[in-house]
Amino acid sequence: MAFRVVSRLVRQTRQVQQTLQARWSSELASAVDEQLKASLVARGFQNTDNLIEAIRDMPTTMKVDDELTWGDMSDALEESQATCQDKLGFAYDLLSLQDLEPDFVRPSVAACLQHVIQSCGEDRSLQSTAQHSLGMLVLQGIGVEPNDKISTDLFAEASKAGHPYAMHLLGTAFYTGRGIKQSDEKAVALFKTAAGKSVPEANAILGSFYRDGLCGLPQDYELAVQYLEQAIELGDPMAKADLAPLYNSGNGVELDHVKAYELNKEAAEESRSPLAYHNLACHFFLGKGVQQDFEIARETFLVAANLGFAHSAFNLGNIYLKGLGVPVDLDEAERWFDMAQVEVPQATEALKEIAELRKQA
């Protein structure tokens, strides 16, 4: 009897949950439709109901090279009598709703951008903006099937029109060989053009190249400092973490561990980058620019390690293996070394050391 009562209660609870979920989904869809209609009306679209229906009928993943996945949406946009500027603006309006109903909103953004690219060639500036945006979606697989070649082609077309961020991304493609034949020379040329157009990330990557002598560039600390300081001025917080090592080494700038610590601290706070947290932890671990504190170092390495930074995991292993600010704990040390060993070869040796210590115990 008790079992049947409990079973009945479970079924009733599930039914209530399903009813509430369906009601919530319906209410959410209605609210999203209202926001879509308000945006369309404000931008002068004439066929709001047809467009909303086309958006609702979008597949969950659009394919740039398959018109069947975006043709109906494009036809509805063509019939809207809206300007190209308003169509592009509506794509970004859609993007602001992606977290509410991502399955149909995200592919609709891609379809809208594809339509602008195909129908608004008379305005190259606007078209290149759409090409850059769609390229980003394709690169990340947001609402559209990922394809490195298609994203790179889109960045290339936008670059021809002088789009600075597309130039930076095309440079990145040449540097990594993603979707195009690898070329350091072409990558550097594009990064320099983008940097001259005030793209912070392009300045930052050139600064790192000159700092470390990468991508066919000579090691030049003064140029590295110039590019990285420009990136910081343009608002790239990670450039602070890239500049900090130069203050720690005194290359291109006066040796200043306190300045390096401050740069890494700001980079961690502003970007939440695992590298910045790792560098910040190293200051506390080594006592450079700040009073040595193994506890704060451990806590900060933990943040970076939980964000996937293998070298921080390796350092945590050492902290527990050697008992730096904590009791020796071989189990914890083993856990962190195991996490790090894919990227940090020394972790494998540390695991062997732990195995030997256990044999001796």
Side-chain angles (χ1 to χ4, degrees):
M1 175 69 72
F3 175 77
R4 289 198 296 273
V5 170
V6 171
S7 298
R8 189 181 303 114
L9 286 172
V10 170
R11 288 197 301 274
Q12 290 174 347
T13 300
R14 286 176 180 167
Q15 290 170 356
V16 170
Q17 288 175 336
Q18 291 169 355
T19 301
L20 289 173
Q21 180 66 32
R23 184 181 302 166
W24 181 84
S25 298
S26 176
E27 290 174 355
L28 177 61
S30 178
V32 170
D33 284 354
E34 287 179 11
Q35 291 184 60
L36 289 174
K37 190 163 188 175
S39 172
L40 290 166
V41 170
R43 292 188 177 278
F45 286 77
Q46 299 299 307
N47 57 337
T48 57
D49 290 340
N50 289 344
L51 262 168
I52 291 174
E53 183 179 353
I55 291 169
R56 285 284 175 193
D57 289 341
M58 281 293 297
T60 55
T61 301
M62 192 196 96
K63 297 181 180 179
V64 172
D65 55 357
D66 183 359
E67 189 173 351
L68 289 175
T69 64
W70 50 264
D72 289 346
M73 176 80 173
S74 185
D75 290 343
L77 287 165
E78 189 65 39
E79 296 166 3
S80 69
Q81 300 182 34
T83 66
C84 287
Q85 184 68 52
D86 281 318
K87 290 174 182 176
L88 182 61
F90 179 62
Y92 297 128
D93 291 346
L94 274 170
L95 201 58
S96 70
L97 300 174
Q98 65 172 321
D99 291 335
L100 296 177
E101 290 197 82
D103 286 347
F104 80 91
V105 169
R106 288 176 178 174
S108 298
V109 175
C112 198
L113 292 169
Q114 175 74 356
H115 171 82
V116 172
I117 291 167
Q118 291 202 327
S119 304
C120 302
E122 68 279 1
D123 187 337
R124 274 301 281 128
S125 175
L126 186 144
Q127 185 187 48
S128 68
T129 298
Q131 287 166 333
H132 166 256
S133 297
L134 183 56
M136 288 288 291
L137 295 181
V138 175
L139 183 66
Q140 298 173 67
I142 298 176
V144 61
E145 187 174 77
N147 186 304
D148 289 342
K149 186 180 185 307
I150 289 177
S151 66
T152 300
D153 289 345
L154 286 163
F155 296 143
E157 288 301 312
S159 294
K160 291 176 184 177
H163 195 288
Y165 284 90
M167 290 177 180
H168 169 68
L169 290 166
L170 182 59
T172 303
F174 274 115
Y175 178 55
T176 60
R178 253 183 105 169
I180 202 166
K181 186 178 179 181
Q182 200 278 336
S183 171
D184 286 348
E185 183 179 355
K186 291 179 180 178
V188 168
L190 284 160
F191 287 140
K192 287 186 174 180
T193 303
K197 293 177 177 288
S198 299
V199 177
E201 295 86 352
N203 280 278
I205 198 167
L206 285 169
S208 297
F209 286 166
Y210 277 114
R211 183 194 64 199
D212 301 328
L214 298 175
C215 207
L217 293 175
Q219 194 167 53
D220 187 323
Y221 295 124
E222 290 186 2
L223 273 177
V225 171
Q226 289 177 26
Y227 276 113
L228 290 169
E229 286 182 342
Q230 178 68 7
I232 292 169
E233 187 177 330
L234 291 168
D236 185 354
M238 270 308 299
K240 296 178 180 181
D242 292 328
L243 180 59
L246 295 175
Y247 279 98
N248 266 330
S249 63
N251 290 319
V253 291
E254 186 177 346
L255 182 70
D256 190 338
H257 294 310
V258 174
K259 176 69 173 177
Y261 162 74
E262 291 172 348
L263 285 167
N264 279 317
K265 183 173 183 291
E266 290 172 8
E269 291 172 347
E270 294 169 17
S271 70
R272 294 197 57 78
S273 157
L275 173 61
Y277 278 113
H278 175 81
N279 291 345
L280 184 60
C282 287
H283 280 281
F284 286 103
F285 188 78
L286 300 170
K288 280 189 174 183
V290 67
Q291 184 176 347
Q292 189 175 49
D293 190 320
F294 289 131
E295 177 61 20
I296 295 178
R298 185 185 65 80
E299 291 174 354
T300 313
F301 279 134
L302 183 61
V303 174
N306 285 333
L307 289 170
F309 201 76
H311 284 83
S312 285
F314 176 75
N315 286 353
L316 283 169
N318 273 321
I319 286 173
Y320 284 106
L321 177 62
K322 298 173 182 177
L324 300 172
V326 294
V328 171
D329 188 331
L330 295 184
D331 290 338
E332 272 297 287
E334 185 176 48
R335 183 168 77 89
W336 290 110
F337 285 137
D338 185 60
M339 187 181 296
Q341 67 175 328
V342 174
E343 297 181 42
V344 185
Q346 300 94 315
T348 302
E349 294 303 313
L351 287 169
K352 292 178 182 177
E353 181 182 345
I354 290 174
E356 286 299 318
L357 289 171
R358 284 187 169 139
K359 286 179 183 178
Q360 298 167 13

